[in-house]
Amino acid sequence: MSISADTPFMKRCIELSQISIDNGDAPFGSLITKDGKLVAEGTNAANTKVSKHAEITALHNAHQVLGTSDLSGCTLYTSCEPCPMCSFMIREYKITRVVFALHSPYMGGHTKWPILQDIDLSKFKLFFGTPPEVVGGFMEEEAQKVMKGTVFSMFGKGA
């Protein structure tokens, strides 16, 4: 998929981040696509249940829509680099591609802990997919505008 094709999906993730804030939660939004079409979305609801990160909500919603735990061929878009918990879920759902806006210097499952690119996990084919293609820093400045004024404003460039 081309970067220009990624733009509307990341714009939607950034909108979902604002919805998360409006709902009193952390500023994260995520969605899943397949064949260039939106499959599922997720906002953050970790204040009500710690595992309700936007990425995990989107993954669970995609599972319901597609009727499978094998999301090979799908792209996960998210406003911020997935944390380790979300990164393991991404690998278990066998997501093919991950596109995120902001780098997470303290909790990133790609840059801080290299879960998304861990080849050894691929040895457990029954559970984990191959490392996804990862595009980080996409539309970072736009996503940073939503983070501004939140406790997460340290995420992004320089991470």
Side-chain angles (χ1 to χ4, degrees):
M1 181 170 280
S2 71
I3 296 297
S4 61
D6 292 330
T7 301
F9 296 120
M10 186 56 72
K11 281 183 180 177
R12 180 61 182 154
C13 283
I14 295 167
E15 290 171 1
L16 292 168
S17 297
Q18 185 60 54
I19 291 169
S20 291
I21 292 171
D22 295 345
N23 290 335
D25 215 292
F28 304 113
S30 186
L31 61 84
I32 310 281
T33 65
K34 185 164 185 147
D35 301 324
K37 294 184 172 86
L38 179 65
V39 173
E41 298 181 335
T43 56
N44 224 62
N47 282 346
T48 57
K49 184 177 180 182
V50 79
S51 62
K52 288 196 126 212
H53 288 202
E55 296 91 339
I56 291 175
T57 301
L59 288 163
H60 287 313
N61 291 343
H63 172 257
Q64 287 182 325
V65 169
L66 297 175
T68 181
S69 293
D70 185 348
L71 300 181
S72 299
C74 291
T75 298
L76 179 140
Y77 294 86
T78 188
S79 57
C80 191
E81 180 180 352
C83 73
M85 177 176 66
C86 294
S87 295
F88 274 111
M89 294 290 290
I90 289 165
R91 292 296 301 275
E92 288 192 63
Y93 273 106
K94 299 173 179 69
I95 292 289
T96 302
R97 187 167 178 261
V98 175
V99 180
F100 66 84
L102 299 166
H103 289 86
S104 177
Y106 305 104
M107 294 173 262
H110 180 65
T111 56
K112 174 78 173 175
W113 291 287
I115 297 162
L116 292 177
Q117 66 264 35
D118 188 336
I119 296 291
D120 287 340
L121 289 176
S122 300
K123 293 176 184 174
F124 302 97
K125 293 188 186 308
L126 184 61
F127 303 104
F128 297 103
T130 58
E133 172 192 349
V134 177
V135 177
F138 183 70
M139 295 181 62
E140 189 170 24
E141 290 180 23
E142 293 88 336
Q144 188 65 51
K145 290 175 187 172
V146 175
M147 293 283 187
K148 200 174 211 168
T150 73
V151 70
F152 300 97
S153 62
M154 78 292 239
F155 289 22
K157 289 186 177 177

